[in-house]
Amino acid sequence: MKFTKTAVALSAAALVLMSACTTPTVTGTPAAGASDTPGSAAGDLKITILPKNLGNPYFDTSTKGMEAAAKEIGATTEQVGPAEAAADAQVQYIETATQQKVSAIALSANDQTALCDSVKAAQAAGVKVVTFDSDAPTCRDLFINQATSEGIAKVLVEMAVDQSGGSGEIAILSATANATNQNAWIDAMKADLKANHPDIKLVEVAYGDDQDQKSFDETASLLQKHPKLKVIVAPTTVGIAAAARYVSTSDAKGKVMVTGLGTPNDMRAFVKDGTVKEFALWNPEDLGYLTVFAIKALADGTITGAEGDKFTAGKLGAYTVGADQTVLLGDPYKFNADNIDNFNF
Ligand code: RAM
């Protein structure tokens, strides 16, 4: 399986990813073949990486994959971004990248549509805009999707069903209220619950805004408001870690299970102490790596974004563009006490 092989192979280097920065910063790989016009040859390829927020280990890991791919193909990357996940805070970075005439922006969008004016201005200036992780479907050139919304929702619901015993109250602790990715996953979860699990009641969707403290406080509030709660599902790496930390030292430990999408390194202690039975994710490093190879293919004309277009993404192998200019990384993967020590990211 692509995910497993790669994740294990990457394990040696991954602990360095856990360092966090709290203020907007710029990081990057050294310039290769500098040019001040948008380039198409790999040597001219300049990529601005714009995650939802900085200081989030998930994006530290996807950026690491982008930098590795950029090094392989001789492209240049620069990571910029806001400290807090908000669409308006991302606009200025898109505008700056446009003025700098970079070749492409790799964007995890904090809102489906709010970034589209600045995205369209970037495109008009010759900049390719490729979303990864969280989409802006009406304006980007290509979306690199970690897994289908239905696939992610199915795994989240399966874990909630298993950990609740198939009935009773569950709550969702999400990221920001406008996040394209979490909202798509939550909609698909609601449909799955309604169709297949009528005995499970989703009592609340709370928003921790991908901030540790807010997610921690929202967890306390969910537990207080819903004394019969059985499972908190947090489809965000920031939210699940904060929820598990709160529950692990509260009376709810052992009564309310925490699950969702997390990184193995964030969740390891909570799996070992029994707060978390099982959670899921894909490999964010692979997502970043694939994104840069897709950008290269778009920039050099190997693909246009049309369904059926094919390109090769280095060590990950061959990919085909699907419907709606989307490239799919693969399926989510479940982590539990039996396998978590095989992963280090
Ligand atoms: C957080 C972000 C990101 C999401 C992961 C699961 O890091 O919200 O967009 O994909 O969680």
Side-chain angles (χ1 to χ4, degrees):
M1 183 184 188
K2 200 172 274 171
F3 174 93
T4 311
K5 271 195 292 187
T6 312
V8 173
L10 292 169
S11 63
L15 266 178
V16 293
L17 298 169
M18 306 313 291
S19 65
C21 26
T22 52
T23 50
T25 56
V26 175
T27 57
T29 54
S35 153
D36 54 11
T37 51
S40 60
D44 296 331
L45 201 64
K46 291 196 249 174
I47 302 169
T48 294
I49 304 170
L50 178 49
K52 280 182 177 176
N53 56 347
L54 299 184
N56 177 342
Y58 174 89
F59 290 115
D60 292 344
T61 309
S62 56
T63 294
K64 188 177 179 226
M66 291 191 195
E67 289 173 347
K71 202 169 168 198
E72 281 181 34
I73 62 173
T76 307
T77 61
E78 181 180 57
Q79 178 181 254
V80 297
E84 292 187 358
D88 53 357
Q90 287 182 304
V91 168
Q92 59 177 300
Y93 295 102
I94 297 173
E95 289 174 353
T96 302
T98 305
Q99 283 158 13
Q100 291 171 336
K101 300 187 194 308
V102 299
S103 322
I105 300 171
L107 167 71
S108 174
N110 277 314
D111 190 289
Q112 282 215 71
T113 52
L115 296 168
C116 280
D117 285 349
S118 56
V119 166
K120 284 176 188 159
Q123 290 163 325
V127 179
K128 301 284 185 202
V129 179
V130 175
T131 48
F132 72 100
D133 176 67
S134 185
D135 198 12
T138 58
C139 56
R140 59 14 181 195
D141 293 287
L142 200 65
F143 173 42
I144 314 305
N145 194 3
Q146 48 270 57
T148 63
S149 295
E150 291 69 27
I152 293 170
K154 182 167 167 282
V155 166
L156 292 171
V157 168
E158 267 168 21
M159 295 189 296
V161 169
D162 174 53
Q163 294 173 33
S164 65
S167 66
E169 295 186 358
I170 67 166
I172 292 175
L173 173 65
S174 190
T176 57
N178 288 341
T180 323
N181 54 347
Q182 274 90 7
N183 285 347
W185 306 335
I186 291 168
D187 283 348
M189 282 179 76
K190 285 179 178 166
D192 188 359
L193 287 170
K194 193 172 170 201
N196 302 313
H197 305 284
D199 294 337
I200 293 189
K201 190 170 172 216
L202 174 59
V203 290
E204 186 172 340
V205 180
Y207 298 95
D209 291 350
D210 269 346
Q211 292 172 29
D212 177 70
Q213 188 61 47
K214 180 144 196 281
S215 304
F216 190 82
D217 296 344
E218 291 291 334
T219 304
S221 158
L222 283 174
L223 294 175
Q224 199 183 21
K225 280 193 265 177
H226 307 289
K228 291 193 204 144
L229 201 61
K230 287 183 166 176
V231 181
I232 295 175
V233 184
T236 137
T237 58
V238 179
I240 191 175
R245 198 169 82 252
Y246 186 91
V247 170
S248 68
T249 59
S250 79
D251 292 344
K253 186 175 174 208
K255 297 181 198 128
V256 180
M257 297 309 293
V258 176
T259 189
L261 303 174
T263 68
N265 286 353
D266 276 352
M267 304 311 292
R268 193 176 328 276
F270 305 117
V271 169
K272 302 226 170 190
D273 79 3
T275 307
V276 172
K277 183 181 172 200
E278 194 165 54
F279 65 98
L281 199 68
W282 43 91
N283 186 340
E285 187 159 350
D286 286 351
L287 184 66
Y289 185 91
L290 174 59
T291 300
V292 163
F293 273 92
I295 286 173
K296 175 180 178 294
L298 199 58
D300 69 18
T302 304
I303 62 173
T304 62
E307 190 169 355
D309 278 358
K310 292 184 194 317
F311 66 102
T312 303
K315 66 184 180 192
L316 294 181
Y319 282 82
T320 303
V321 179
D324 304 322
Q325 302 88 36
T326 295
V327 178
L328 193 61
L329 176 67
D331 292 321
Y333 184 86
K334 285 182 187 165
F335 303 91
N336 52 43
D338 293 337
N339 65 18
I340 193 161
D341 283 337
N342 298 332
F343 299 93
N344 192 356
F345 67 91

